[in-house]
Coordinates of all heavy atoms in Angstrom, one line a residue:
F213 N 0.2 -5.7 2.3 CA 1.2 -5.9 1.1 C 2.6 -6.1 1.6 O 3.5 -5.7 0.8 CB 1.0 -4.9 0.0 CG -0.3 -4.5 -0.6 CD1 -1.2 -3.5 -0.1 CD2 -0.8 -5.4 -1.5 CE1 -2.4 -3.3 -0.6 CE2 -2.1 -5.4 -2.2 CZ -2.8 -4.3 -1.6
E214 N 2.7 -6.4 2.8 CA 4.0 -6.6 3.4 C 4.8 -7.7 2.5 O 4.4 -8.8 2.2 CB 3.9 -7.3 4.8 CG 5.3 -7.5 5.6 CD 5.3 -8.2 6.8 OE1 4.2 -8.4 7.3 OE2 6.3 -8.2 7.4
G215 N 6.1 -7.5 2.3 CA 6.9 -8.4 1.7 C 6.8 -8.4 0.1 O 7.3 -9.3 -0.6
C216 N 6.0 -7.4 -0.3 CA 5.8 -7.4 -1.9 C 6.9 -6.6 -2.5 O 6.8 -5.4 -2.7 CB 4.4 -6.8 -2.2 SG 2.9 -7.7 -1.7
K217 N 8.1 -7.3 -2.6 CA 9.3 -6.5 -2.8 C 9.4 -6.0 -4.2 O 10.3 -5.2 -4.5 CB 10.6 -7.5 -2.5 CG 10.5 -8.8 -3.2 CD 11.7 -9.6 -2.8 CE 11.6 -10.9 -3.5 NZ 12.8 -11.9 -2.9
S218 N 8.5 -6.6 -5.1 CA 8.6 -6.2 -6.5 C 7.7 -4.9 -6.9 O 7.5 -4.6 -8.0 CB 8.4 -7.3 -7.5 OG 9.4 -8.2 -7.4
L219 N 6.7 -4.6 -5.9 CA 5.7 -3.7 -6.1 C 6.2 -2.4 -6.6 O 7.0 -1.8 -5.8 CB 4.8 -3.6 -4.8 CG 3.5 -2.9 -5.0 CD1 2.6 -3.6 -6.0 CD2 2.8 -2.9 -3.8
E220 N 5.7 -1.7 -7.7 CA 6.2 -0.6 -8.2 C 5.2 0.6 -8.3 O 5.5 1.6 -8.3 CB 7.0 -0.8 -9.5 CG 8.3 -1.7 -9.3 CD 8.8 -1.9 -10.8 OE1 8.1 -1.6 -11.8 OE2 9.9 -2.5 -10.9
Y221 N 3.9 0.0 -8.6 CA 3.0 1.0 -9.0 C 1.7 0.6 -8.3 O 1.2 -0.6 -8.4 CB 2.7 1.0 -10.4 CG 1.7 2.1 -11.0 CD1 2.0 3.3 -11.2 CD2 0.4 1.6 -11.3 CE1 1.1 4.2 -11.5 CE2 -0.5 2.6 -11.7 CZ -0.2 3.9 -11.9 OH -1.1 4.8 -12.3
V222 N 0.8 1.6 -7.7 CA -0.3 1.3 -7.0 C -1.4 2.5 -7.5 O -1.1 3.7 -7.5 CB -0.2 1.4 -5.5 CG1 -1.7 1.2 -4.9 CG2 0.7 0.3 -5.0
E223 N -2.5 1.9 -8.1 CA -3.7 2.9 -8.2 C -4.5 3.0 -6.9 O -4.9 2.1 -6.4 CB -4.7 2.3 -9.4 CG -4.2 2.3 -10.8 CD -4.3 3.7 -11.4 OE1 -5.2 4.4 -10.8 OE2 -3.8 3.9 -12.4
W224 N -4.4 4.3 -6.4 CA -4.9 4.5 -5.1 C -6.1 5.5 -5.0 O -5.9 6.6 -5.4 CB -3.7 5.1 -4.3 CG -3.9 5.4 -2.8 CD1 -4.5 6.4 -2.3 CD2 -3.5 4.4 -1.8 NE1 -4.5 6.2 -0.9 CE2 -3.9 5.0 -0.6 CE3 -2.8 3.1 -1.8 CZ2 -3.7 4.4 0.6 CZ3 -2.6 2.7 -0.5 CH2 -3.0 3.3 0.6
P225 N -7.2 4.9 -4.8 CA -8.4 5.8 -4.7 C -8.4 6.8 -3.6 O -8.0 6.5 -2.4 CB -9.6 4.7 -4.6 CG -9.0 3.7 -3.9 CD -7.5 3.7 -4.3
G226 N -9.0 8.1 -3.9 CA -9.1 9.0 -2.8 C -10.1 8.7 -1.9 O -10.5 9.4 -0.9
T227 N -11.0 7.6 -2.0 CA -12.0 7.2 -1.1 C -11.5 6.5 0.1 O -12.2 6.2 1.1 CB -13.1 6.3 -1.8 OG1 -12.3 5.2 -2.4 CG2 -13.8 6.9 -2.9
I228 N -10.3 6.1 0.1 CA -9.7 5.5 1.3 C -9.6 6.4 2.5 O -9.0 7.4 2.5 CB -8.2 4.9 1.0 CG1 -8.4 3.7 -0.1 CG2 -7.6 4.3 2.3 CD1 -7.0 3.2 -0.5
I229 N -10.3 5.9 3.5 CA -10.4 6.7 4.7 C -9.3 6.3 5.8 O -8.7 7.0 6.5 CB -11.8 6.7 5.4 CG1 -12.9 7.1 4.4 CG2 -11.8 7.3 6.7 CD1 -14.2 7.0 4.7
T230 N -9.3 4.9 5.9 CA -8.4 4.3 7.0 C -7.3 3.5 6.6 O -7.5 2.6 5.7 CB -9.2 3.5 8.0 OG1 -10.3 4.4 8.5 CG2 -8.3 3.0 9.2
T231 N -6.0 3.9 6.8 CA -5.0 3.0 6.3 C -4.0 2.7 7.4 O -4.1 3.4 8.5 CB -4.3 3.7 5.1 OG1 -3.6 4.9 5.7 CG2 -5.1 3.9 3.9
N232 N -3.0 2.0 7.3 CA -2.0 1.6 8.4 C -0.6 1.9 7.7 O -0.5 1.4 6.6 CB -2.3 0.2 8.9 CG -1.3 0.0 10.1 OD1 0.0 -0.1 9.8 ND2 -1.9 -0.1 11.3
K233 N 0.3 2.6 8.4 CA 1.6 2.8 7.8 C 2.4 1.5 7.5 O 3.5 1.6 6.7 CB 2.4 3.7 8.7 CG 2.7 3.2 10.0 CD 3.4 4.2 10.9 CE 3.8 3.5 12.3 NZ 4.6 4.6 13.0
K234 N 2.0 0.4 8.0 CA 2.7 -1.0 7.8 C 2.1 -1.7 6.7 O 2.6 -2.9 6.4 CB 2.5 -1.8 9.1 CG 3.3 -1.1 10.2 CD 3.1 -1.9 11.5 CE 3.7 -1.4 12.7 NZ 3.6 -2.2 14.0
I235 N 1.2 -1.1 5.8 CA 0.6 -2.0 4.8 C 1.6 -2.3 3.6 O 1.4 -3.4 3.1 CB -0.6 -1.2 4.1 CG1 -0.3 0.2 3.4 CG2 -1.8 -1.0 5.1 CD1 -1.3 0.9 2.7
F236 N 2.6 -1.6 3.5 CA 3.7 -1.8 2.4 C 5.0 -2.2 3.1 O 6.1 -2.0 2.5 CB 3.9 -0.6 1.5 CG 2.6 -0.4 0.7 CD1 1.8 0.7 0.8 CD2 2.2 -1.3 -0.4 CE1 0.8 1.0 0.0 CE2 1.1 -1.1 -1.1 CZ 0.5 0.0 -1.0
K237 N 4.9 -2.6 4.4 CA 6.2 -2.9 5.1 C 7.1 -3.7 4.3 O 6.8 -4.8 3.6 CB 6.0 -3.7 6.4 CG 7.2 -3.9 7.2 CD 6.7 -4.6 8.6 CE 8.1 -4.7 9.4 NZ 7.7 -5.5 10.8
G238 N 8.5 -3.4 4.2 CA 9.4 -4.0 3.5 C 9.6 -3.6 2.1 O 10.4 -4.0 1.2

């Protein structure tokens, strides 16, 4: 989701095991 500058709200499931700190870069 890099460059999604208007993003304000995310429904985030607890099932996520692997993420990357750069997924929302910007």
Side-chain angles (χ1 to χ4, degrees):
F213 302 100
E214 178 186 9
C216 295
K217 59 184 180 181
S218 299
L219 192 61
E220 298 175 350
Y221 182 82
V222 178
E223 285 278 348
W224 186 274
T227 55
I228 293 178
I229 299 172
T230 305
T231 61
N232 186 293
K233 64 181 181 180
K234 297 180 181 179
I235 60 175
F236 295 108
K237 185 179 179 182

